[in-house]
Amino acid sequence: MYWIAFGDIHESTGLLGSVPGLAEADGVIVTGDLTNRGGREAGKRVLDAVARYNPRILAQPGNMDSDGVTAYIREQDMDIHLRVRELAPGLGLMGVGLSTPTPFGTPGEVPESTLAGWLEQTHARADGFKQLICVIHEPPLDTAVDRLDNGQHVGSPGVRAFLERVQPALAVTGHIHEAAGVDRIGDTPVINPGMLAGGGFVRIDFDGATVTASLESV
């Protein structure tokens, strides 16, 4: 079984047809930022574009998505934000979207304390899974995947502390476009595929016991 994960779409869907294996994947995981401050209709257009290749979508809002996007994802029963889903027997997926405050005043921002609380509350619903994948829009602090071009680290200390403690099988993040890459916190691989328009995506494989993942590019 395998899944394709990507995010930071920002309404740019032109590369979807170039993602290898997208149609055949067991599902598509959208990590956040479907739109550019867009509402329901913008979110619907993006998800409709993804569904043309694969209708098995799980998604969450990022900081650039309005409440209308969040509502539409929920109505379509695609949402993973603050939820836990079973991907396969023994394999769970938990999601936490939005971000902490940015200099740009984007629609989906919450305090650091709220984000940290959401992680704990959502993880409490993940009991019983032998393997857990965490999809968190904001990356962990002081990693290769939260660094701006000027070298400044702008990720979340709460996300980092959570991953250090929980040690899930995989964390997929985004938000910081220029920080596409792979890092590790303890035994947990942390992957930021960057913007979809840049060609980045994550392939997640599961053989019934072990999760493996790789950063790919079209």
Side-chain angles (χ1 to χ4, degrees), residues 3 85-93 129 131-133 206 211:
W3 295 263
R85 299 269 193 164
E86 182 180 73
L87 292 182
L91 178 62
L93 171 72
F129 290 109
Q131 302 281 349
L132 182 65
I133 296 169
F206 183 59
V211 174

Side-chain angles (χ1 to χ4, degrees), residues 77-106:
D77 195 29
M78 298 176 177
D79 61 310
I80 57 172
H81 177 51
L82 310 185
R83 293 193 62 182
V84 177
R85 299 269 193 164
E86 182 180 73
L87 292 182
L91 178 62
L93 171 72
M94 65 165 273
V96 174
L98 311 189
S99 82
T100 56
T102 74
F104 312 109
T106 57

Side-chain angles (χ1 to χ4, degrees), residues 35-167:
T35 71
N36 290 313
R37 301 176 185 261
R40 177 190 178 89
E41 289 306 312
K44 181 179 185 301
R45 284 194 298 272
V46 169
L47 292 168
D48 284 350
V50 176
R52 283 194 282 273
Y53 296 94
N54 191 321
R56 297 177 292 278
I57 303 169
L58 296 172
Q60 67 184 11
N63 60 293
M64 289 291 285
D65 300 313
S66 72
D67 289 345
V69 176
T70 301
Y72 182 75
I73 292 170
R74 287 176 180 162
E75 288 167 15
Q76 300 303 306
D77 195 29
M78 298 176 177
D79 61 310
I80 57 172
H81 177 51
L82 310 185
R83 293 193 62 182
V84 177
R85 299 269 193 164
E86 182 180 73
L87 292 182
L91 178 62
L93 171 72
M94 65 165 273
V96 174
L98 311 189
S99 82
T100 56
T102 74
F104 312 109
T106 57
E109 299 180 5
V110 296
E112 171 68 32
S113 59
T114 298
L115 183 64
W118 280 351
L119 288 164
E120 297 300 332
Q121 293 159 20
T122 308
H123 181 249
R125 305 184 184 110
D127 286 348
F129 290 109
K130 293 182 179 178
Q131 302 281 349
L132 182 65
I133 296 169
C134 295
V135 177
I136 307 167
H137 184 64
E138 178 156 345
L141 182 65
D142 292 333
T143 55
V145 296
D146 83 318
R147 189 169 53 222
L148 301 178
D149 283 337
N150 65 7
Q152 181 182 5
H153 291 278
V154 293
S156 162
V159 172
R160 184 181 183 97
F162 172 79
L163 295 177
E164 287 175 341
R165 182 178 66 80
V166 172
Q167 293 285 278

